[in-house]
């Protein structure tokens, strides 16, 4: 089977994105499973190669079809939007604009079928908005670029997968937004994604909102009964193996133990906390519900170490691995 083309967006050029991309693409085994194409700025990537000492050649290409995709070099679709003197570790609207353009270009290629999946290095939300792009993050940006009305964020780490009903909104707003239809659609998206990735009958646990999942009405104002339980009943009726609402203080332990394949979290920190306890260097962010495959590192731009070569590429490698697993099958590669 042919190797899929994975478009890797370089992220915020002032952060660690260029460095983790360069380090990840120094792994020769990667090229056995995919054809990695960096969508970014070739000169910035060359600087990252120098900083990290990986000794790779950066080749500028005009289209995915021009790449050679061989270990020892990096094929870069060069948008040429990052100035030579851009400082590492400093928030910049120029870098924010660059990060936006990298995602836009990669998304257009994916929608057109010229690449088979997108893997994103981290962008900085404040820099993105300083550049005039009013999105809370990658998830919402990708939804807008693809015209997708609703998507979900899934975090994946060894022994734990979490999908979120709400993400980048305040806690009070999150509780107000949660309703049975949204919860049911989130469960279905998670179920479908796991089925596509080879889990034949996913076992799904759904968190409650309140402590002890409301303790039969003792805590909260009936949110579990009104907002969550009807969605679970609906999905069970569709044949989905789903349990809940369950107390969030124990359900993640049970999932890591092997009782569940997926946990549905109600809000950002409820789901992010347990995944990140397992390690920032092993987590992967997957946007589900898009018409294209998108995975991402599960860490930020790390301005404090950007430009030092110290950034760890483990999460990028895992994100690339999962992008390959989720990508559609490719019949053949063009002759080199």
């Amino acid at each position: 089977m042919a190797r899929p083309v994975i478009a890797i967006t370089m992220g915020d050029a002032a952060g660690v994105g260029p460095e983790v991309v360069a380090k990840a693409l120094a792994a020769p085994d990667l090229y056995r499973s995919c054809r990695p194409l960096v969508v970014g700025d070739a000169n910035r990537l060359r600087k990252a190669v120098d900083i990290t000492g990986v000794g790779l050649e950066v080749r500028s290409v005009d289209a995915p079809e021009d790449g050679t995709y061989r270990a020892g070099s990096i094929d870069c679709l060069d948008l040429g939007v990052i100035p030579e003197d851009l400082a590492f570790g400093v928030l910049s609207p120029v870098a924010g604009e660059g990060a936006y353009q990298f995602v836009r270009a990669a998304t257009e290629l994916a929608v057109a079928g010229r690449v088979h999946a997108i893997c994103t290095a981290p962008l900085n939300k404040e820099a993105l908005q300083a550049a005039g792009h009013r999105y809370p993050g990658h998830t919402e940006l990708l939804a807008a670029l693809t015209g997708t009305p609703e998507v979900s964020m899934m975090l994946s780490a060894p022994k734990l997968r979490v999908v979120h009903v709400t993400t980048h909104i305040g806690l009070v707003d999150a509780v107000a937004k949660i309703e049975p239809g949204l919860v049911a659609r989130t469960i279905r998206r998670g179920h479908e994604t796991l089925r596509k990735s080879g889990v034949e009958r996913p076992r799904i646990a759904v968190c409650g909102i309140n402590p002890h999942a409301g303790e039969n009405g003792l805590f909260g104002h009936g949110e579990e009964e009104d907002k969550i339980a009807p969605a679970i009943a609906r999905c069970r009726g569709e044949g989905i193996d789903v349990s809940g609402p369950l107390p969030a203080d124990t359900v993640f332990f049970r999932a890591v133990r092997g009782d569940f394949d997926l946990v549905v979290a109600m809000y950002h920190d409820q789901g992010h906390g347990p995944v990140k306890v397992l390690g920032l260097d092993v987590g992967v962010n997957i946007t589900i519900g898009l018409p294209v495959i998108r995975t991402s590192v599960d860490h930020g731009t790390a301005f404090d170490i950007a430009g030092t070569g110290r950034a760890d590429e483990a999460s990028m490698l895992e994100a690339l691995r999962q992008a390959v697993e989720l990508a559609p099958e490719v019949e053949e590669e063009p002759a080199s």
Side-chain angles (χ1 to χ4, degrees):
M1 195 62 65
R3 300 170 297 164
V5 178
I6 310 297
I8 307 168
T9 61
M10 201 175 71
D12 189 301
V16 296
E19 294 163 73
V20 296
V21 169
K23 283 186 167 184
L25 296 188
D29 289 352
L30 181 68
Y31 287 80
R32 298 192 186 118
S33 62
C34 70
R35 290 173 281 167
L37 174 71
V38 178
V39 181
D41 184 277
N43 284 334
R44 193 64 167 186
L45 202 52
R46 291 185 183 104
K47 187 171 288 189
V49 165
D50 290 341
I51 289 169
T52 56
V54 292
L56 303 177
E57 175 195 7
V58 176
R59 298 179 64 254
S60 296
V61 299
D62 296 322
E65 297 78 13
D66 297 335
T68 60
Y69 306 115
R70 293 173 179 164
S73 66
I74 300 175
D75 294 290
C76 178
L77 187 69
D78 184 12
L79 301 192
V81 294
I82 303 300
E84 284 279 354
D85 60 351
L86 181 77
F88 281 101
V90 178
L91 190 141
S92 163
V94 173
E97 178 64 28
Y100 172 83
Q101 293 300 336
F102 305 152
V103 175
R104 176 199 56 76
T107 303
E108 289 177 358
L109 291 170
V111 169
R114 296 172 66 192
V115 302
H116 305 105
I118 301 169
C119 182
T120 58
L123 56 71
N124 183 281
K125 298 175 180 64
E126 189 175 349
L128 182 69
Q129 299 209 15
H133 303 291
R134 307 297 180 184
Y135 302 100
H138 269 120
T139 302
E140 297 82 2
L141 172 56
L142 284 156
L145 288 171
T146 58
T148 306
E150 187 175 277
V151 297
S152 297
M153 176 189 292
M154 178 184 286
L155 300 183
S156 178
K159 300 184 178 181
L160 180 63
R161 301 183 190 93
V162 181
V163 64
H164 294 69
V165 175
T166 66
T167 50
H168 295 121
I169 55 176
L171 185 54
V172 172
D173 296 328
V175 174
K177 184 176 180 179
I178 296 166
E179 50 86 21
L182 177 58
V183 175
R185 292 192 297 275
T186 305
I187 293 169
R188 292 188 195 109
R189 277 191 286 269
H191 179 263
E192 181 182 1
T193 299
L194 263 62
R195 287 285 305 275
K196 287 181 178 178
S197 68
V199 182
E200 186 174 341
R201 184 167 170 77
R203 299 161 301 160
I204 301 174
V206 181
C207 291
I209 295 172
N210 295 296
H212 304 288
E215 196 80 77
N216 296 315
L218 182 62
F219 304 121
H221 302 278
E223 289 87 357
E224 281 73 20
E225 181 179 349
D226 296 341
K227 293 172 174 284
I228 304 174
I232 293 172
R234 193 179 308 168
C235 290
R236 281 179 184 155
E238 297 167 4
I240 298 174
D241 183 354
V242 56
S243 304
L246 297 171
D249 62 353
T250 55
V251 72
F252 295 99
F253 167 79
R254 294 180 61 192
V256 170
R257 185 175 65 185
D259 294 357
F260 303 108
D261 302 300
L262 176 68
V263 177
V264 178
M266 291 296 119
Y267 53 89
H268 184 282
D269 285 12
Q270 186 182 65
H272 276 59
V275 173
K276 294 192 175 183
V277 163
L278 294 176
L280 289 172
D281 58 342
V282 294
V284 175
N285 183 332
I286 305 168
T287 305
I288 60 176
L290 291 170
V292 299
I293 301 300
R294 178 262 176 167
T295 67
S296 179
V297 297
D298 188 32
H299 60 73
T301 48
F303 281 169
D304 57 325
I305 61 168
T308 67
R310 289 160 44 202
D312 192 320
E313 73 276 19
S315 183
M316 174 58 73
L317 282 168
E318 181 61 20
L320 285 165
R321 185 188 69 78
Q322 295 208 26
V324 172
E325 284 189 3
L326 294 169
E329 290 187 353
V330 182
E331 292 301 322
E332 60 180 354
E333 296 181 25
S336 56

